[in-house]
Amino acid sequence: MYKRQINFTGGGETDIGGSGLSLTGNSVTLNFAAGTYKINGISISGSTAVTINTSGTVVLEIWNGITTSGSTSLTINGTATYYIQGGITKGGSGALAIANTSSSAPSTFYVAGGIAVTNGTATFPAGTYTITSANSSYGTGLYVAGGATATFGSGSFDIANGVTLGGSGTLTFGSARTSSSVFQITGANTSGYAIQTGGGSNLTIGAYTNADINGAVYPTGNISLGSGTYTVNGALDLAGGGGSTLSGSSVSLITAGALSFGSGYSSISLTAPTAISSSTSGTLATVALASESATASTVTAGASDTQVVGAIYLPSAALTLAGSGSLTGGGSCLEIVASSLVLDGGGSISTTCSDLSGSSSSSVALVQ
């Protein structure tokens, strides 16, 4: 096997202009010593296996992005600060693996042009991620195609132009790395959604004190939420999909728009940070679901296993259950605060709560 190794001694600023680094062949290793490197793009094609090693304090300024295709693989080891103009496009069947070798100094990524994983797997380390603009081909800040997998370690995420996940794709965000870590999606994709996922996909978001999503959420795949408060500046429409699930423990999910749970979501399980139990009889639960919208929230036909432990708070809107849609406390206590409650076409609600007067019997009570 033909192997090549290139050593960059660094020590100051090194400019790699022209067409940047266009890498082909069997095996290529690049070693970057401490320094700042201005590279006019990194392109890897064919069946090339590329390894990049960094040592010391390394800054990589990559002006025309990172692109992989074919069966090529790219592995980056070490700690670095990345300024990437033109984004990261991981194509082909090979793997992209960025491994941070320093737990005390996580990598930092500033990416203009988005991150797109269109095939195979991509693994990103613990770190700070700022994505300032969309990928030009996919119209979104972070795109994972159907069948592809992208996994991010613990960290802090600030993503412009939405997150889009194709059918059968998998996207995982690790939990907050420090108390100052944020998870925020600051805008929508070209379809108008801050989060949009395809059927059969899997989206996991780790635990954050607060997660801010500036736009509507339209998922048709599975979603798993870590503990925290999720604020959605738009509607949450879980009406599509087929047999999909939404789950989260110690979660408050608060939306500016209406809530819609439909036939595509056969299983929904949300538990508020503080839930009613027999030992806390008469104590208000914290919010598991809330909407500020004046538009009715709905649980409709086929949403047959919607379990919410805690409070649903809809002070300005009705809650409508229709077409055999069901809402339960999952054997625990569900509280509902809404402007009105509509049951139609076989819709049902069931809950198990301690009597508000303090006795041990279960009851249904109209508080106001």
Side-chain angles (χ1 to χ4, degrees), residues 36 259 263 318:
T36 297
L259 304 169
S263 60

PDB file of all heavy atoms in Angstrom, residues 36 259 263 318:
ATOM      1  N   THR A  36      -1.079  28.371  13.287  1.00  0.00           N
ATOM      2  CA  THR A  36      -2.294  28.713  12.565  1.00  0.00           C
ATOM      3  C   THR A  36      -2.102  28.360  11.096  1.00  0.00           C
ATOM      4  O   THR A  36      -1.111  28.754  10.484  1.00  0.00           O
ATOM      5  CB  THR A  36      -2.620  30.204  12.711  1.00  0.00           C
ATOM      6  OG1 THR A  36      -2.879  30.506  14.086  1.00  0.00           O
ATOM      7  CG2 THR A  36      -3.837  30.584  11.883  1.00  0.00           C
ATOM      8  N   LEU A 259     -50.146  22.681  19.931  1.00  0.00           N
ATOM      9  CA  LEU A 259     -49.654  21.310  20.014  1.00  0.00           C
ATOM     10  C   LEU A 259     -50.580  20.414  19.215  1.00  0.00           C
ATOM     11  O   LEU A 259     -51.796  20.523  19.314  1.00  0.00           O
ATOM     12  CB  LEU A 259     -49.616  20.839  21.476  1.00  0.00           C
ATOM     13  CG  LEU A 259     -48.813  21.683  22.463  1.00  0.00           C
ATOM     14  CD1 LEU A 259     -49.117  21.235  23.887  1.00  0.00           C
ATOM     15  CD2 LEU A 259     -47.330  21.560  22.183  1.00  0.00           C
ATOM     16  N   SER A 263     -51.961  10.640  14.350  1.00  0.00           N
ATOM     17  CA  SER A 263     -51.882   9.197  14.173  1.00  0.00           C
ATOM     18  C   SER A 263     -50.461   8.693  13.959  1.00  0.00           C
ATOM     19  O   SER A 263     -50.184   7.523  14.181  1.00  0.00           O
ATOM     20  CB  SER A 263     -52.752   8.786  12.985  1.00  0.00           C
ATOM     21  OG  SER A 263     -52.309   9.434  11.804  1.00  0.00           O
ATOM     22  N   ALA A 318     -58.266  25.741  23.773  1.00  0.00           N
ATOM     23  CA  ALA A 318     -58.954  24.493  24.096  1.00  0.00           C
ATOM     24  C   ALA A 318     -58.008  23.314  23.887  1.00  0.00           C
ATOM     25  O   ALA A 318     -57.047  23.380  23.131  1.00  0.00           O
ATOM     26  CB  ALA A 318     -60.171  24.329  23.201  1.00  0.00           C
TER      27      ALA A 318
END
